Amino acid sequence: MEIGIKAIGGYEEVGKNMTAVRAGDEVVILDMGLNLDRVQIHGETRTETMESLDLIEMGAIPDDTVMGDLDGEVKAIVCSHGHLDHIGAVPKLAHRYDAPIMATPFAMELIKDKISWEKRFKVENELQTVEPGKRYQVSDDLVVEFVHTKHSIPQTTTVVIHTPEGAIVYALDFRFDRNPVMEDPPDFKRLRQIGREGVICAVIECVNVETEGMSPSESVARMMVNQTLHEAENEDVGVMVTTFSSHVARIKSIVEAAEAMDRRPLLFGRSMDKYITTAEKLGIVDLPGDIGIYGHPKAREDIMRKVMKDGKENYLLIVTGHQGEPGATLTRIANETLPYEAEPEDQVVFSARRIPNPLTIANRYSMETKLRMKGARLFQDVHVSGHAGKQDLYDMIKMLQPQHLFPAHAPLDMMSGFVDLTESMGYRMGEDVHLMRNGQEMVIS
Ligand SMILES: [Zn+2]
C-alpha cells in the first residue's frame, strides 16, 4: 500500500495547518486552520461572509484545491486541538468533503461555534466527538487514534493514523509537561508503545527547535504568575493580567492567584467568555463561584463602572489584548474608550509572549506606550511556551522511532534547526527527513 503525505498548509509558516495522509486510495485530512495574521492585515475583514477562494488568495486558509491531484477518497477530517490555526478553516472547507469531522469535546464545541457564525457555506458534515486515549475505525483499513498530550489549550491530542503498513503520527502543537496544572501529563507510555509497533512517518512541529533544552512546565508559569502578583507592591492599586483566552490552565492559575490576594477575579472579552464558559460547561475546569465573566460590551462597561466606584484594589481584571489587538479590552483601556482607567502604579501583567510579526509589534508598541504614559507598571513575558523545545523534539523522535520525518509548523528558515537535530540522531535530509512546501506530496512506498 502506497503512503502519501500531502502538505496543504502550515509547512512554510506558523498558521493555517492542514495535511492530507493517503493510504492506498483512502485519505484522512488533519486540521483545517486559519492564518490569523493574513486576516488581521486586511483590517475589518469579516471572514464569515467570504468565499473560500478569496480567503485562499489572501493566504488566510489552506489552498485545498491541490486536493484535486490526490487520488483517494477522504474518510475523515481530524482536528488535533481547538486553536484557530487548526480549526479556523473548517467552516470554509469541510463542506467540500463527504466525511465526518472528528475532534475532542473542547475542540468540537469551538468548531460548532465557528460553524454557527458561518454565513456563506452550510457545513453538514457529521460531527463526531472523540475521547483522548481512544481509537476510531474510519474505514476497513484505517483507524484513527487520539493520544493525550499537553499544549496551551485543553484536550490537545497527538493524532495517529494506523494503516496496514504501520502508523503515521501527526505531532503538531505539543509540549512534554510532566507537572501540568490541569489534566494529566502526556501519555508517554502509549507514545513509546506506538514507536515499538512501528511508525512509518511523523509530521512534527519545529517552531521552538531553536530553543535549547526542554520547554518548561505550566507549573513554572504558575510560579511566575504568583511571584509577579504576590510579591509586587500592589495592595492599593489596580491589577490587570492579559493572556491567551484559550489558555484555560493559565487563566486558572491567575484566578487562583487573585483569590489568594483577596481580590475578586473578573474576566473580560468575548473570546474569554467563550473559552472559559465552554471549559466550565464540559467540566474541564472548575473556577470559584465569585468569578465574574463579562463577554458582552454592555455588561463589561457596567461592571467597570462598579469597579471604579468600589475601588480597584478589590478586583483583579483578566483581559484580552495581550498583543494590542484593536478592539480587545486592554487596548481599549489604553485608548480610554472604556470606563476602567489605567492609573499611576497600576500593575499590568503580560502572561503571553510577544508574537514577533511587524503588525503585532506595532500594535503592542502603541498600546504599551499609552499605558506607560498613564504611569502603569508593565510586567512582560510572565509566560512559558506551549510548544516543544529542542530536547522535547529529540525525545518525541526517540520514542516514536519514525522511518521518515516531516517538519512543519515553522517558516522554512527555521527548518534547518530541525535538520541539524535529526541528522545528529542519524537521519539524513532528503533521505528520511523531508522538507515540503505547501501543495507538495511525498510518496513513501
Ligand atoms: Zn495550538
Side-chain angles (χ1 to χ4, degrees), residues 81 83 85-86 151-153 173 387 409:
H81 64 289
H83 278 149
D85 56 336
H86 297 258
H151 179 37
S152 50
I153 186 168
D173 295 35
H387 290 278
H409 205 291

Side-chain angles (χ1 to χ4, degrees), residues 286-331:
D286 185 17
L287 296 174
D290 69 334
I291 188 173
I293 306 180
Y294 303 92
H296 196 273
K298 170 80 170 63
R300 174 170 69 179
E301 298 200 6
D302 289 348
I303 187 75
M304 282 182 172
R305 281 192 199 93
K306 181 171 155 49
V307 171
M308 292 305 290
K309 201 160 134 259
D310 288 356
K312 290 151 86 178
E313 68 280 6
N314 301 308
Y315 298 90
L316 186 147
L317 276 60
I318 304 170
V319 294
T320 53
H322 51 87
Q323 303 300 330
E325 305 93 320
T329 303
L330 187 58
T331 318

Side-chain angles (χ1 to χ4, degrees), residues 8 18-23 25-32 67 70 72-80 90 93-94 96-103 108 125-128 130 136-140 142-146 159-161:
I8 304 171
M18 181 168 170
T19 298
V21 171
R22 181 175 60 82
D25 56 4
E26 296 181 328
V27 175
V28 173
I29 292 176
L30 297 156
D31 289 333
M32 282 185 173
M67 286 292 287
L70 202 63
E73 192 186 337
V74 176
K75 292 293 176 186
I77 299 165
V78 175
C79 293
S80 57
V90 166
L93 301 180
R96 305 190 204 205
Y97 306 96
D98 181 18
I101 300 167
M102 305 171 82
M108 189 59 89
N125 307 58
E126 182 199 338
L127 301 180
Q128 189 182 351
V130 301
Y136 299 83
Q137 191 96 35
V138 297
S139 74
D140 287 347
L142 303 182
V143 170
V144 177
E145 177 177 1
F146 295 82
V159 179
V160 183
I161 302 169

